[in-house]
Amino acid sequence: MKQRLLKAAVLPLMIALPSAANTEDEGVTNKTSFNFYGTLRPTFGITSNGSEDSWDVKDALSRIGFSSQKALGNGMTAFATGEFKIAIDKNGDLGEARKAFVGIKGDFGRVAIGKQWSTIYNMLGDPVDIFNRASSPLAYDHIGPYRINNYVSYRKIIGDFSLATDVQIDDENEASQNTDRFNTGLAYSANNLRLAVAYYIQKMAVDKKEIRGVSAAKSFGDLYLAATFTDTDDQGVNKTSLDMVAAYKLSNGYKLKIGISDFDSSVDVTSFWAYNATLEWHPRNDFYLFGEVQTMDWKAGDSTNSFMVGLRYNFDYGFKF
């Protein structure tokens, strides 16, 4: 499997080389853009599990980062991103990297190396990831990966279609035999409609994990609807996830969001139905306040109910030179 993964990783780079051959001689512009961005997302709420209540201040994936692009000539651009967690609920510490990669893009597509979003999340998780929790989307969260390190990715847009292929190879963890992954997907986007399919396989110590899934999203003016379904074989354990969400823009900067999630596993103790409802107030594009209720109806245990309020402040400063 290692040789196949290497070939999948090297192929996009080989495709890119002919286009890059004459960049030293033709049209190098030296135009560079740099963005410094971040989002702070503290929350405060209560969680009730049976007779026990728990109050807590938490963090909904605060982060800070930078991104940069530089024109190389002949229609090619180099780019880089570094993004790091900020744990508001843990002394405000600057944590581990969420993303850290460098790449090149042009008519051949986009190639990047480093820690990146996985194709399966981009294709399946992102359309239903609309809530203000670290575990959103709820059912997908129990199955799919998000960001993956030691990653080589290839992206190509052809008309209304987007093709993506990723591969992870980590020789330092070869002894554990659980880090090599292959991921691919295809999306169609037109007329406010997006349809996607994705496939993911991860080599484990004595077995493998395979995920197949589909997603659909559609905007009708102020109304947004989306759904994602995955079917997983996780070392002989069958798991399915279904996330359905809706968002509607109300007047005066308010937005209402609702969601239903179903996670089903042959290990019943982890199976659940979940329900979300969120009301957001957006006085500005870079700031909003929200309140959210959530019920987790465990199929083999008591339900869990929670309510939280939170703030989100976003910033993005761009420079060109």
Side-chain angles (χ1 to χ4, degrees):
M1 183 175 182
K2 178 72 71 178
Q3 291 182 347
R4 292 197 299 271
L5 293 175
L6 282 170
K7 290 178 181 179
V10 173
L11 180 58
L13 296 174
M14 295 177 63
I15 294 173
L17 286 176
S19 298
N22 298 317
T23 54
E24 294 184 0
D25 301 322
E26 300 180 11
V28 177
T29 62
N30 292 322
K31 290 183 178 179
T32 301
S33 65
F34 183 88
N35 282 72
F36 174 63
Y37 66 91
T39 175
L40 300 178
R41 306 176 178 186
T43 66
F44 172 65
I46 180 173
T47 299
S48 175
N49 186 358
S51 60
E52 183 179 351
D53 294 341
S54 175
W55 293 87
D56 204 359
V57 170
K58 294 185 178 181
D59 180 83
L61 299 178
S62 300
R63 81 281 308 249
I64 192 170
F66 66 86
S67 63
S68 182
Q69 293 194 111
K70 184 178 183 64
L72 301 177
N74 285 346
M76 295 195 301
T77 302
F79 58 89
T81 293
E83 184 177 290
F84 305 89
K85 296 179 181 179
I86 298 178
I88 291 180
D89 56 341
K90 297 177 181 178
N91 297 319
D93 295 336
L94 187 65
E96 67 181 56
R98 287 169 49 91
K99 295 184 287 185
F101 60 84
V102 177
I104 185 171
K105 60 185 178 180
D107 292 339
F108 56 87
R110 173 192 182 277
V111 179
I113 302 174
K115 188 171 186 179
Q116 308 165 62
W117 287 105
S118 66
T119 285
I120 196 165
Y121 172 79
N122 287 336
M123 296 289 182
L124 306 182
D126 182 65
V128 290
D129 192 359
I130 67 172
F131 296 104
N132 300 288
R133 294 175 178 267
S135 58
S136 174
L138 289 170
Y140 173 89
D141 185 61
H142 283 65
I143 288 179
Y146 288 81
R147 296 166 301 277
I148 301 177
N149 59 4
N150 300 91
Y151 223 35
V152 179
S153 68
Y154 174 70
R155 310 279 189 266
K156 175 68 173 177
I157 297 176
I158 306 172
D160 295 331
F161 292 90
S162 300
L163 171 69
T165 299
D166 309 331
V167 60
Q168 180 196 48
I169 302 173
D170 188 354
D171 282 337
E172 290 185 3
N173 291 315
E174 182 65 18
S176 66
Q177 294 291 305
N178 66 354
T179 57
D180 292 354
R181 319 179 198 209
F182 175 77
N183 195 186
T184 189
L186 180 68
Y188 168 81
S189 301
N191 300 318
N192 295 318
L193 171 68
R194 184 178 184 273
L195 305 173
V197 296
Y199 172 76
Y200 168 94
I201 183 169
Q202 178 181 359
K203 183 171 61 175
M204 311 298 282
V206 295
D207 207 331
K208 61 185 178 181
K209 178 179 180 179
E210 287 187 272
I211 307 173
R212 303 170 182 84
V214 297
S215 69
K218 174 69 174 178
S219 294
F220 304 87
D222 292 334
L223 176 64
Y224 173 78
L225 301 175
T228 288
F229 174 80
T230 68
D231 181 71
T232 301
D233 180 0
D234 188 355
Q235 303 179 84
V237 178
N238 180 253
K239 304 175 182 179
T240 61
S241 73
L242 174 65
D243 288 286
M244 299 178 291
V245 301
Y248 185 72
K249 292 181 181 179
L250 305 171
S251 60
N252 299 320
Y254 288 93
K255 178 182 286 188
L256 176 65
K257 299 177 178 179
I258 58 174
I260 300 174
S261 301
D262 176 36
F263 176 70
D264 189 49
S265 171
S266 55
V267 182
D268 289 337
V269 68
T270 62
S271 301
F272 63 82
W273 280 94
Y275 311 91
N276 273 61
T278 301
L279 181 63
E280 298 175 350
W281 177 50
H282 297 248
R284 292 175 53 94
N285 291 333
D286 54 6
F287 174 84
Y288 61 88
L289 168 72
F290 62 86
E292 183 169 306
V293 294
Q294 175 182 287
T295 294
M296 303 280 289
D297 187 6
W298 299 97
K299 297 178 182 179
D302 294 332
S303 62
T304 302
N305 301 292
S306 64
F307 171 76
M308 70 175 184
V309 295
L311 301 168
R312 182 178 295 193
Y313 183 87
N314 304 324
F315 62 87
D316 189 343
Y317 299 101
F319 309 89
K320 292 184 179 181
F321 46 91

